[in-house]
Amino acid sequence: MKTKTSFVCQNCGFHSPKWLGRCPNCGEWNTLIEEIEEEAAVEFSFPPSEPVLYEEIKEAKRERIKSGIEELNSVLGGGIVLGSLVLIGGEPGIGKSTLLLQVSRDFAVQGKKVLYVSGEESLEQIKIRGERLGIQDGKLYLLAETNLERIITHAGKLNPQIFVLDSVQTIFSSKLSSAPGTISQVREVTNQVFRFAKKNHIPSFLIGHITKEGSLAGPKSLEHMVDVVLYFEGERDHSHRVLRALKNRFGPVSELAIFEMGSRGLQPVSNPSAFFLKERPTEEAGSVVVCTIKGSRPLLAEIQALVSSTLFAGNPRRMTIGLDHFRAAMLLAIVERKLGFSFAGEDIYINVAGGLTLDEPATDLAVIMAVVSCLKNKVIPPDLIVFGEVGLSGEIRSVGHPLARLKEAHALGFKTVILPQGNLSQLEKEDIPDIKLEGVQNIKQTLEILF
Ligand code: TYD
Ligand code: MG
């Protein structure tokens, strides 16, 4: 039985029986998307709802089950809620299938029945990966299938306790004539899996590929349809991966977990600060350690700067890796204006070591210190750490979570912290760990203390 579909303009709502490149009603290009008509008639198997008096609503008890990976549980807000649908997005090759196969393995070891459906790989290919991950016995069922209706039928019969679908771009519903991976298909797939998860109270994971630009038919358009959106990120040339929540109907979105991809799958990194500092040079100018906050956790990272005379006069280079380019340009302008340096004939490179991306203004002062340290060829003491936001007149402004940053610095053996005077004045004496603190109010004063 073929469902009736039509193409609907996403801009103005115009209906057309066939696909058109341009909407004849509003004139927009590429806005017509196939949709199922009479959606309401499709096997709606929820019990009919009724209005309920607010006071009579019982508080929902959210039952969660915990995966074997503690870091994943905390990103989810303490385990996965029964009946919730979690979308895991990330670039191809980043490790999404690996992560979920590990999760499936651990659930199977706990004695739970798991169904892992792959529309991307054959059973043999999955088994090869499974061998690397050391999968042995347990009730882990694999299904290689791309037809959504068949998948749902199988899942309904098997009635697993965990359901994984890899990936939303390769599965298609036979109700639609569009190709897999198109917006209509990924929406329909997500929609049906969502209903399946809710109806049967099965926690479900959906994998979605996204490109760096956040691809067109990618999970971006699905974010509002699912309960939880996790992003899995990292640089291909580096072994670490960051998993963070972008949306969570059942928990905070601030948590984040760091993993390292090894020869036997993903291993959680239990001490991220030590991990990112382990190859730091301690006797080179241009390197400084900053204490930043990622999610709700403090993280120490190394910022490096290199200043060298430019080959092409009049067109010096400004390169940043892992930092916002415009913010760095602004900081360089502040240094020129307030400290009297001139970068006119210099190429400047600023890099966050280890492939991390830092997007917090609290790193400002560290960027400036790294650049000046390189320019003056003066080493910053290796046991010194810094944080603080810099304003346009060179003033140092307070940042959030100062105590958490100090504790992390202390835990990793740092002896001195340069921090905003405003933060220092807020802190309660008795809370401060045993570490030397230097409160600063502007960048000039900071450099006087340092050099
Ligand atoms: P994969 O999970 O297939 O990525 P995705 O599903 O996001 O596309 O992971 C692919 C990469 O991970 C691949 O380059 C191989 C590497 N890998 C390891 O380094 N170690 C391992 O144990 C496994 C299973 C994969
Ligand atoms: Mg994959």
Side-chain angles (χ1 to χ4, degrees), residues 69 88-103 116 129 133 166 207-209 232-236 239-241 243 259-261 265-266:
I69 305 175
I88 298 201
E91 285 176 47
I94 208 75
K96 301 179 294 299
S97 305
T98 306
L99 179 69
L100 285 185
L101 199 58
Q102 277 180 243
V103 169
Y116 184 106
R129 178 178 294 129
L133 301 178
D166 183 3
I207 291 180
H209 295 291
F232 206 32
E233 303 165 317
E235 297 294 326
R236 208 168 284 234
S239 60
H240 80 273
R241 304 281 179 264
L243 183 72
F259 294 90
E260 191 175 9
M261 180 65 95
L266 292 153

PDB file of all heavy atoms in Angstrom, residues 69 88-103 116 129 133 166 207-209 232-236 239-241 243 259-261 265-266:
ATOM      1  N   ILE A  69      29.402   3.131  30.288  1.00  0.00           N
ATOM      2  CA  ILE A  69      30.356   4.231  30.171  1.00  0.00           C
ATOM      3  C   ILE A  69      29.864   5.377  31.049  1.00  0.00           C
ATOM      4  O   ILE A  69      28.895   6.051  30.712  1.00  0.00           O
ATOM      5  CB  ILE A  69      30.487   4.680  28.697  1.00  0.00           C
ATOM      6  CG1 ILE A  69      30.860   3.483  27.819  1.00  0.00           C
ATOM      7  CG2 ILE A  69      31.518   5.796  28.561  1.00  0.00           C
ATOM      8  CD1 ILE A  69      30.906   3.785  26.329  1.00  0.00           C
ATOM      9  N   ILE A  88      22.676  11.068  17.944  1.00  0.00           N
ATOM     10  CA  ILE A  88      24.119  11.321  18.065  1.00  0.00           C
ATOM     11  C   ILE A  88      24.639  11.779  16.720  1.00  0.00           C
ATOM     12  O   ILE A  88      24.634  11.015  15.748  1.00  0.00           O
ATOM     13  CB  ILE A  88      24.866  10.064  18.545  1.00  0.00           C
ATOM     14  CG1 ILE A  88      24.343   9.696  19.927  1.00  0.00           C
ATOM     15  CG2 ILE A  88      26.375  10.317  18.571  1.00  0.00           C
ATOM     16  CD1 ILE A  88      25.253   8.850  20.743  1.00  0.00           C
ATOM     17  N   GLY A  89      25.045  13.022  16.641  1.00  0.00           N
ATOM     18  CA  GLY A  89      25.517  13.579  15.375  1.00  0.00           C
ATOM     19  C   GLY A  89      27.020  13.736  15.388  1.00  0.00           C
ATOM     20  O   GLY A  89      27.625  13.877  16.438  1.00  0.00           O
ATOM     21  N   GLY A  90      27.606  13.701  14.192  1.00  0.00           N
ATOM     22  CA  GLY A  90      29.047  13.906  14.093  1.00  0.00           C
ATOM     23  C   GLY A  90      29.511  13.664  12.678  1.00  0.00           C
ATOM     24  O   GLY A  90      28.768  13.106  11.863  1.00  0.00           O
ATOM     25  N   GLU A  91      30.731  14.085  12.404  1.00  0.00           N
ATOM     26  CA  GLU A  91      31.259  13.899  11.056  1.00  0.00           C
ATOM     27  C   GLU A  91      31.516  12.418  10.789  1.00  0.00           C
ATOM     28  O   GLU A  91      31.773  11.658  11.716  1.00  0.00           O
ATOM     29  CB  GLU A  91      32.588  14.651  10.930  1.00  0.00           C
ATOM     30  CG  GLU A  91      32.422  16.132  10.815  1.00  0.00           C
ATOM     31  CD  GLU A  91      33.778  16.820  10.799  1.00  0.00           C
ATOM     32  OE1 GLU A  91      34.660  16.369  10.055  1.00  0.00           O
ATOM     33  OE2 GLU A  91      33.939  17.778  11.545  1.00  0.00           O
ATOM     34  N   PRO A  92      31.478  12.032   9.515  1.00  0.00           N
ATOM     35  CA  PRO A  92      31.793  10.639   9.181  1.00  0.00           C
ATOM     36  C   PRO A  92      33.205  10.285   9.680  1.00  0.00           C
ATOM     37  O   PRO A  92      34.112  11.101   9.585  1.00  0.00           O
ATOM     38  CB  PRO A  92      31.746  10.619   7.655  1.00  0.00           C
ATOM     39  CG  PRO A  92      30.914  11.789   7.271  1.00  0.00           C
ATOM     40  CD  PRO A  92      31.121  12.824   8.336  1.00  0.00           C
ATOM     41  N   GLY A  93      33.336   9.111  10.243  1.00  0.00           N
ATOM     42  CA  GLY A  93      34.656   8.634  10.664  1.00  0.00           C
ATOM     43  C   GLY A  93      35.075   9.094  12.046  1.00  0.00           C
ATOM     44  O   GLY A  93      36.154   8.767  12.516  1.00  0.00           O
ATOM     45  N   ILE A  94      34.221   9.830  12.744  1.00  0.00           N
ATOM     46  CA  ILE A  94      34.614  10.374  14.034  1.00  0.00           C
ATOM     47  C   ILE A  94      34.517   9.310  15.133  1.00  0.00           C
ATOM     48  O   ILE A  94      35.195   9.390  16.158  1.00  0.00           O
ATOM     49  CB  ILE A  94      33.751  11.626  14.368  1.00  0.00           C
ATOM     50  CG1 ILE A  94      34.519  12.566  15.263  1.00  0.00           C
ATOM     51  CG2 ILE A  94      32.428  11.285  14.981  1.00  0.00           C
ATOM     52  CD1 ILE A  94      35.572  13.340  14.554  1.00  0.00           C
ATOM     53  N   GLY A  95      33.685   8.293  14.919  1.00  0.00           N
ATOM     54  CA  GLY A  95      33.592   7.212  15.914  1.00  0.00           C
ATOM     55  C   GLY A  95      32.204   6.984  16.480  1.00  0.00           C
ATOM     56  O   GLY A  95      32.053   6.383  17.539  1.00  0.00           O
ATOM     57  N   LYS A  96      31.160   7.416  15.757  1.00  0.00           N
ATOM     58  CA  LYS A  96      29.799   7.260  16.269  1.00  0.00           C
ATOM     59  C   LYS A  96      29.416   5.785  16.356  1.00  0.00           C
ATOM     60  O   LYS A  96      28.882   5.334  17.366  1.00  0.00           O
ATOM     61  CB  LYS A  96      28.795   7.998  15.359  1.00  0.00           C
ATOM     62  CG  LYS A  96      29.071   9.481  15.223  1.00  0.00           C
ATOM     63  CD  LYS A  96      28.082  10.152  14.301  1.00  0.00           C
ATOM     64  CE  LYS A  96      28.182   9.700  12.851  1.00  0.00           C
ATOM     65  NZ  LYS A  96      29.461   9.969  12.203  1.00  0.00           N
ATOM     66  N   SER A  97      29.689   5.032  15.273  1.00  0.00           N
ATOM     67  CA  SER A  97      29.330   3.605  15.290  1.00  0.00           C
ATOM     68  C   SER A  97      30.115   2.874  16.371  1.00  0.00           C
ATOM     69  O   SER A  97      29.583   2.004  17.059  1.00  0.00           O
ATOM     70  CB  SER A  97      29.620   2.963  13.938  1.00  0.00           C
ATOM     71  OG  SER A  97      28.976   3.667  12.916  1.00  0.00           O
ATOM     72  N   THR A  98      31.381   3.247  16.505  1.00  0.00           N
ATOM     73  CA  THR A  98      32.220   2.608  17.520  1.00  0.00           C
ATOM     74  C   THR A  98      31.638   2.854  18.913  1.00  0.00           C
ATOM     75  O   THR A  98      31.482   1.920  19.703  1.00  0.00           O
ATOM     76  CB  THR A  98      33.656   3.167  17.441  1.00  0.00           C
ATOM     77  OG1 THR A  98      34.119   3.013  16.111  1.00  0.00           O
ATOM     78  CG2 THR A  98      34.582   2.455  18.404  1.00  0.00           C
ATOM     79  N   LEU A  99      31.293   4.095  19.196  1.00  0.00           N
ATOM     80  CA  LEU A  99      30.749   4.436  20.516  1.00  0.00           C
ATOM     81  C   LEU A  99      29.488   3.626  20.804  1.00  0.00           C
ATOM     82  O   LEU A  99      29.342   3.026  21.863  1.00  0.00           O
ATOM     83  CB  LEU A  99      30.435   5.936  20.593  1.00  0.00           C
ATOM     84  CG  LEU A  99      29.842   6.410  21.911  1.00  0.00           C
ATOM     85  CD1 LEU A  99      30.864   6.328  23.031  1.00  0.00           C
ATOM     86  CD2 LEU A  99      29.313   7.842  21.805  1.00  0.00           C
ATOM     87  N   LEU A 100      28.573   3.582  19.824  1.00  0.00           N
ATOM     88  CA  LEU A 100      27.303   2.910  20.099  1.00  0.00           C
ATOM     89  C   LEU A 100      27.432   1.400  20.116  1.00  0.00           C
ATOM     90  O   LEU A 100      26.683   0.725  20.814  1.00  0.00           O
ATOM     91  CB  LEU A 100      26.236   3.382  19.120  1.00  0.00           C
ATOM     92  CG  LEU A 100      25.757   4.789  19.498  1.00  0.00           C
ATOM     93  CD1 LEU A 100      24.612   5.230  18.623  1.00  0.00           C
ATOM     94  CD2 LEU A 100      25.326   4.862  20.957  1.00  0.00           C
ATOM     95  N   LEU A 101      28.402   0.872  19.387  1.00  0.00           N
ATOM     96  CA  LEU A 101      28.627  -0.571  19.480  1.00  0.00           C
ATOM     97  C   LEU A 101      29.199  -0.907  20.865  1.00  0.00           C
ATOM     98  O   LEU A 101      28.823  -1.908  21.469  1.00  0.00           O
ATOM     99  CB  LEU A 101      29.566  -1.036  18.365  1.00  0.00           C
ATOM    100  CG  LEU A 101      29.510  -2.535  18.066  1.00  0.00           C
ATOM    101  CD1 LEU A 101      28.115  -2.985  17.688  1.00  0.00           C
ATOM    102  CD2 LEU A 101      30.489  -2.904  16.960  1.00  0.00           C
ATOM    103  N   GLN A 102      30.059  -0.032  21.375  1.00  0.00           N
ATOM    104  CA  GLN A 102      30.569  -0.233  22.740  1.00  0.00           C
ATOM    105  C   GLN A 102      29.444  -0.156  23.763  1.00  0.00           C
ATOM    106  O   GLN A 102      29.379  -0.967  24.682  1.00  0.00           O
ATOM    107  CB  GLN A 102      31.619   0.837  23.073  1.00  0.00           C
ATOM    108  CG  GLN A 102      32.992   0.493  22.557  1.00  0.00           C
ATOM    109  CD  GLN A 102      34.019   1.574  22.891  1.00  0.00           C
ATOM    110  OE1 GLN A 102      34.570   2.171  22.000  1.00  0.00           O
ATOM    111  NE2 GLN A 102      34.274   1.825  24.165  1.00  0.00           N
ATOM    112  N   VAL A 103      28.579   0.852  23.572  1.00  0.00           N
ATOM    113  CA  VAL A 103      27.447   1.000  24.482  1.00  0.00           C
ATOM    114  C   VAL A 103      26.570  -0.262  24.420  1.00  0.00           C
ATOM    115  O   VAL A 103      26.161  -0.813  25.449  1.00  0.00           O
ATOM    116  CB  VAL A 103      26.624   2.256  24.113  1.00  0.00           C
ATOM    117  CG1 VAL A 103      25.310   2.294  24.869  1.00  0.00           C
ATOM    118  CG2 VAL A 103      27.431   3.514  24.392  1.00  0.00           C
ATOM    119  N   TYR A 116      20.908  -3.692  17.399  1.00  0.00           N
ATOM    120  CA  TYR A 116      21.724  -2.690  16.704  1.00  0.00           C
ATOM    121  C   TYR A 116      21.456  -2.854  15.215  1.00  0.00           C
ATOM    122  O   TYR A 116      21.792  -3.879  14.621  1.00  0.00           O
ATOM    123  CB  TYR A 116      23.201  -2.929  17.020  1.00  0.00           C
ATOM    124  CG  TYR A 116      24.153  -1.894  16.434  1.00  0.00           C
ATOM    125  CD1 TYR A 116      24.754  -0.937  17.249  1.00  0.00           C
ATOM    126  CD2 TYR A 116      24.465  -1.882  15.077  1.00  0.00           C
ATOM    127  CE1 TYR A 116      25.620   0.000  16.732  1.00  0.00           C
ATOM    128  CE2 TYR A 116      25.336  -0.942  14.550  1.00  0.00           C
ATOM    129  CZ  TYR A 116      25.906  -0.004  15.378  1.00  0.00           C
ATOM    130  OH  TYR A 116      26.773   0.926  14.864  1.00  0.00           O
ATOM    131  N   ARG A 129      34.584  -4.978  13.577  1.00  0.00           N
ATOM    132  CA  ARG A 129      34.729  -3.906  14.566  1.00  0.00           C
ATOM    133  C   ARG A 129      34.491  -4.467  15.973  1.00  0.00           C
ATOM    134  O   ARG A 129      35.227  -4.162  16.913  1.00  0.00           O
ATOM    135  CB  ARG A 129      33.737  -2.782  14.280  1.00  0.00           C
ATOM    136  CG  ARG A 129      33.828  -1.700  15.309  1.00  0.00           C
ATOM    137  CD  ARG A 129      32.896  -0.531  15.071  1.00  0.00           C
ATOM    138  NE  ARG A 129      33.191   0.239  13.900  1.00  0.00           N
ATOM    139  CZ  ARG A 129      32.290   0.555  12.969  1.00  0.00           C
ATOM    140  NH1 ARG A 129      31.058   0.148  13.083  1.00  0.00           N
ATOM    141  NH2 ARG A 129      32.634   1.272  11.934  1.00  0.00           N
ATOM    142  N   LEU A 133      36.630  -4.494  19.592  1.00  0.00           N
ATOM    143  CA  LEU A 133      36.077  -3.974  20.843  1.00  0.00           C
ATOM    144  C   LEU A 133      35.911  -5.067  21.895  1.00  0.00           C
ATOM    145  O   LEU A 133      35.414  -4.814  22.980  1.00  0.00           O
ATOM    146  CB  LEU A 133      34.716  -3.319  20.574  1.00  0.00           C
ATOM    147  CG  LEU A 133      34.716  -2.171  19.577  1.00  0.00           C
ATOM    148  CD1 LEU A 133      33.312  -1.642  19.370  1.00  0.00           C
ATOM    149  CD2 LEU A 133      35.638  -1.051  20.044  1.00  0.00           C
ATOM    150  N   ASP A 166      21.672   2.948  12.923  1.00  0.00           N
ATOM    151  CA  ASP A 166      22.883   3.547  12.349  1.00  0.00           C
ATOM    152  C   ASP A 166      22.751   3.514  10.831  1.00  0.00           C
ATOM    153  O   ASP A 166      22.882   2.466  10.236  1.00  0.00           O
ATOM    154  CB  ASP A 166      24.095   2.729  12.833  1.00  0.00           C
ATOM    155  CG  ASP A 166      25.415   3.289  12.358  1.00  0.00           C
ATOM    156  OD1 ASP A 166      25.428   4.340  11.709  1.00  0.00           O
ATOM    157  OD2 ASP A 166      26.448   2.656  12.647  1.00  0.00           O
ATOM    158  N   ILE A 207      21.832   7.494  14.955  1.00  0.00           N
ATOM    159  CA  ILE A 207      23.088   8.126  14.522  1.00  0.00           C
ATOM    160  C   ILE A 207      22.803   8.999  13.312  1.00  0.00           C
ATOM    161  O   ILE A 207      22.012   8.623  12.446  1.00  0.00           O
ATOM    162  CB  ILE A 207      24.131   7.040  14.166  1.00  0.00           C
ATOM    163  CG1 ILE A 207      24.573   6.315  15.436  1.00  0.00           C
ATOM    164  CG2 ILE A 207      25.339   7.651  13.451  1.00  0.00           C
ATOM    165  CD1 ILE A 207      25.596   5.229  15.209  1.00  0.00           C
ATOM    166  N   GLY A 208      23.426  10.167  13.259  1.00  0.00           N
ATOM    167  CA  GLY A 208      23.267  11.031  12.087  1.00  0.00           C
ATOM    168  C   GLY A 208      24.598  11.641  11.702  1.00  0.00           C
ATOM    169  O   GLY A 208      25.350  12.085  12.563  1.00  0.00           O
ATOM    170  N   HIS A 209      24.895  11.622  10.402  1.00  0.00           N
ATOM    171  CA  HIS A 209      26.144  12.248   9.957  1.00  0.00           C
ATOM    172  C   HIS A 209      25.924  13.729   9.751  1.00  0.00           C
ATOM    173  O   HIS A 209      24.918  14.131   9.188  1.00  0.00           O
ATOM    174  CB  HIS A 209      26.600  11.671   8.614  1.00  0.00           C
ATOM    175  CG  HIS A 209      26.959  10.237   8.704  1.00  0.00           C
ATOM    176  ND1 HIS A 209      28.069   9.799   9.381  1.00  0.00           N
ATOM    177  CD2 HIS A 209      26.354   9.132   8.209  1.00  0.00           C
ATOM    178  CE1 HIS A 209      28.128   8.483   9.295  1.00  0.00           C
ATOM    179  NE2 HIS A 209      27.100   8.051   8.591  1.00  0.00           N
ATOM    180  N   PHE A 232      29.274  14.568  18.653  1.00  0.00           N
ATOM    181  CA  PHE A 232      30.544  13.891  18.841  1.00  0.00           C
ATOM    182  C   PHE A 232      31.533  14.610  17.941  1.00  0.00           C
ATOM    183  O   PHE A 232      31.351  14.644  16.719  1.00  0.00           O
ATOM    184  CB  PHE A 232      30.376  12.428  18.430  1.00  0.00           C
ATOM    185  CG  PHE A 232      31.323  11.506  19.116  1.00  0.00           C
ATOM    186  CD1 PHE A 232      31.761  11.759  20.400  1.00  0.00           C
ATOM    187  CD2 PHE A 232      31.770  10.354  18.490  1.00  0.00           C
ATOM    188  CE1 PHE A 232      32.628  10.894  21.046  1.00  0.00           C
ATOM    189  CE2 PHE A 232      32.632   9.484  19.120  1.00  0.00           C
ATOM    190  CZ  PHE A 232      33.064   9.757  20.403  1.00  0.00           C
ATOM    191  N   GLU A 233      32.556  15.210  18.537  1.00  0.00           N
ATOM    192  CA  GLU A 233      33.439  16.059  17.754  1.00  0.00           C
ATOM    193  C   GLU A 233      34.896  15.704  18.001  1.00  0.00           C
ATOM    194  O   GLU A 233      35.234  15.097  19.002  1.00  0.00           O
ATOM    195  CB  GLU A 233      33.256  17.532  18.163  1.00  0.00           C
ATOM    196  CG  GLU A 233      31.862  18.027  18.022  1.00  0.00           C
ATOM    197  CD  GLU A 233      31.628  19.333  18.745  1.00  0.00           C
ATOM    198  OE1 GLU A 233      32.103  19.476  19.885  1.00  0.00           O
ATOM    199  OE2 GLU A 233      30.977  20.208  18.175  1.00  0.00           O
ATOM    200  N   GLY A 234      35.735  16.167  17.111  1.00  0.00           N
ATOM    201  CA  GLY A 234      37.170  15.974  17.281  1.00  0.00           C
ATOM    202  C   GLY A 234      37.868  16.206  15.971  1.00  0.00           C
ATOM    203  O   GLY A 234      37.230  16.322  14.929  1.00  0.00           O
ATOM    204  N   GLU A 235      39.176  16.294  16.040  1.00  0.00           N
ATOM    205  CA  GLU A 235      39.947  16.457  14.810  1.00  0.00           C
ATOM    206  C   GLU A 235      40.417  15.076  14.393  1.00  0.00           C
ATOM    207  O   GLU A 235      40.825  14.278  15.217  1.00  0.00           O
ATOM    208  CB  GLU A 235      41.165  17.349  15.075  1.00  0.00           C
ATOM    209  CG  GLU A 235      40.813  18.764  15.493  1.00  0.00           C
ATOM    210  CD  GLU A 235      40.133  19.539  14.379  1.00  0.00           C
ATOM    211  OE1 GLU A 235      40.485  19.307  13.203  1.00  0.00           O
ATOM    212  OE2 GLU A 235      39.246  20.363  14.674  1.00  0.00           O
ATOM    213  N   ARG A 236      40.373  14.820  13.099  1.00  0.00           N
ATOM    214  CA  ARG A 236      40.748  13.515  12.612  1.00  0.00           C
ATOM    215  C   ARG A 236      42.208  13.158  12.956  1.00  0.00           C
ATOM    216  O   ARG A 236      42.541  12.016  13.199  1.00  0.00           O
ATOM    217  CB  ARG A 236      40.558  13.471  11.096  1.00  0.00           C
ATOM    218  CG  ARG A 236      40.261  12.100  10.606  1.00  0.00           C
ATOM    219  CD  ARG A 236      39.817  12.183   9.192  1.00  0.00           C
ATOM    220  NE  ARG A 236      38.438  12.669   9.128  1.00  0.00           N
ATOM    221  CZ  ARG A 236      37.491  12.021   8.490  1.00  0.00           C
ATOM    222  NH1 ARG A 236      37.760  10.896   7.888  1.00  0.00           N
ATOM    223  NH2 ARG A 236      36.279  12.504   8.440  1.00  0.00           N
ATOM    224  N   SER A 239      43.695  12.080  18.552  1.00  0.00           N
ATOM    225  CA  SER A 239      42.981  10.891  19.011  1.00  0.00           C
ATOM    226  C   SER A 239      41.821  11.227  19.940  1.00  0.00           C
ATOM    227  O   SER A 239      41.008  10.374  20.213  1.00  0.00           O
ATOM    228  CB  SER A 239      43.953   9.957  19.724  1.00  0.00           C
ATOM    229  OG  SER A 239      44.521  10.632  20.826  1.00  0.00           O
ATOM    230  N   HIS A 240      41.739  12.469  20.424  1.00  0.00           N
ATOM    231  CA  HIS A 240      40.683  12.715  21.394  1.00  0.00           C
ATOM    232  C   HIS A 240      39.366  13.121  20.721  1.00  0.00           C
ATOM    233  O   HIS A 240      39.350  13.706  19.654  1.00  0.00           O
ATOM    234  CB  HIS A 240      41.111  13.769  22.415  1.00  0.00           C
ATOM    235  CG  HIS A 240      40.981  15.159  21.888  1.00  0.00           C
ATOM    236  ND1 HIS A 240      41.965  15.771  21.175  1.00  0.00           N
ATOM    237  CD2 HIS A 240      39.944  16.025  21.950  1.00  0.00           C
ATOM    238  CE1 HIS A 240      41.547  16.976  20.821  1.00  0.00           C
ATOM    239  NE2 HIS A 240      40.328  17.163  21.277  1.00  0.00           N
ATOM    240  N   ARG A 241      38.284  12.762  21.392  1.00  0.00           N
ATOM    241  CA  ARG A 241      36.932  13.067  20.902  1.00  0.00           C
ATOM    242  C   ARG A 241      36.144  13.691  22.046  1.00  0.00           C
ATOM    243  O   ARG A 241      36.285  13.254  23.186  1.00  0.00           O
ATOM    244  CB  ARG A 241      36.223  11.776  20.487  1.00  0.00           C
ATOM    245  CG  ARG A 241      36.949  10.948  19.458  1.00  0.00           C
ATOM    246  CD  ARG A 241      36.759  11.509  18.075  1.00  0.00           C
ATOM    247  NE  ARG A 241      37.463  10.753  17.067  1.00  0.00           N
ATOM    248  CZ  ARG A 241      38.668  11.067  16.593  1.00  0.00           C
ATOM    249  NH1 ARG A 241      39.326  12.104  17.058  1.00  0.00           N
ATOM    250  NH2 ARG A 241      39.234  10.328  15.671  1.00  0.00           N
ATOM    251  N   LEU A 243      32.368  14.520  23.494  1.00  0.00           N
ATOM    252  CA  LEU A 243      30.937  14.244  23.383  1.00  0.00           C
ATOM    253  C   LEU A 243      30.210  15.248  24.255  1.00  0.00           C
ATOM    254  O   LEU A 243      30.499  15.373  25.440  1.00  0.00           O
ATOM    255  CB  LEU A 243      30.638  12.823  23.875  1.00  0.00           C
ATOM    256  CG  LEU A 243      29.193  12.367  23.763  1.00  0.00           C
ATOM    257  CD1 LEU A 243      28.814  12.125  22.311  1.00  0.00           C
ATOM    258  CD2 LEU A 243      28.962  11.093  24.555  1.00  0.00           C
ATOM    259  N   PHE A 259      36.917  11.450  25.193  1.00  0.00           N
ATOM    260  CA  PHE A 259      37.353  10.081  24.936  1.00  0.00           C
ATOM    261  C   PHE A 259      38.623  10.103  24.102  1.00  0.00           C
ATOM    262  O   PHE A 259      38.897  11.067  23.410  1.00  0.00           O
ATOM    263  CB  PHE A 259      36.296   9.322  24.134  1.00  0.00           C
ATOM    264  CG  PHE A 259      35.015   9.104  24.860  1.00  0.00           C
ATOM    265  CD1 PHE A 259      33.987  10.031  24.775  1.00  0.00           C
ATOM    266  CD2 PHE A 259      34.817   7.970  25.633  1.00  0.00           C
ATOM    267  CE1 PHE A 259      32.786   9.844  25.444  1.00  0.00           C
ATOM    268  CE2 PHE A 259      33.631   7.766  26.311  1.00  0.00           C
ATOM    269  CZ  PHE A 259      32.609   8.702  26.203  1.00  0.00           C
ATOM    270  N   GLU A 260      39.346   8.987  24.167  1.00  0.00           N
ATOM    271  CA  GLU A 260      40.506   8.844  23.307  1.00  0.00           C
ATOM    272  C   GLU A 260      40.265   7.624  22.431  1.00  0.00           C
ATOM    273  O   GLU A 260      39.921   6.547  22.920  1.00  0.00           O
ATOM    274  CB  GLU A 260      41.760   8.658  24.160  1.00  0.00           C
ATOM    275  CG  GLU A 260      43.018   8.759  23.346  1.00  0.00           C
ATOM    276  CD  GLU A 260      44.275   8.689  24.201  1.00  0.00           C
ATOM    277  OE1 GLU A 260      44.186   8.399  25.414  1.00  0.00           O
ATOM    278  OE2 GLU A 260      45.349   8.913  23.624  1.00  0.00           O
ATOM    279  N   MET A 261      40.434   7.799  21.101  1.00  0.00           N
ATOM    280  CA  MET A 261      40.250   6.669  20.186  1.00  0.00           C
ATOM    281  C   MET A 261      41.544   5.879  20.130  1.00  0.00           C
ATOM    282  O   MET A 261      42.595   6.412  19.782  1.00  0.00           O
ATOM    283  CB  MET A 261      39.876   7.202  18.798  1.00  0.00           C
ATOM    284  CG  MET A 261      39.666   6.135  17.751  1.00  0.00           C
ATOM    285  SD  MET A 261      38.267   5.037  18.054  1.00  0.00           S
ATOM    286  CE  MET A 261      36.978   5.826  17.093  1.00  0.00           C
ATOM    287  N   GLY A 265      38.995   0.731  20.456  1.00  0.00           N
ATOM    288  CA  GLY A 265      37.806   1.552  20.631  1.00  0.00           C
ATOM    289  C   GLY A 265      38.058   2.799  21.456  1.00  0.00           C
ATOM    290  O   GLY A 265      39.202   3.225  21.630  1.00  0.00           O
ATOM    291  N   LEU A 266      36.977   3.374  21.960  1.00  0.00           N
ATOM    292  CA  LEU A 266      37.052   4.641  22.680  1.00  0.00           C
ATOM    293  C   LEU A 266      37.247   4.398  24.170  1.00  0.00           C
ATOM    294  O   LEU A 266      36.523   3.610  24.769  1.00  0.00           O
ATOM    295  CB  LEU A 266      35.754   5.418  22.453  1.00  0.00           C
ATOM    296  CG  LEU A 266      35.564   5.903  21.022  1.00  0.00           C
ATOM    297  CD1 LEU A 266      34.077   6.045  20.700  1.00  0.00           C
ATOM    298  CD2 LEU A 266      36.271   7.223  20.799  1.00  0.00           C
TER     299      LEU A 266
END
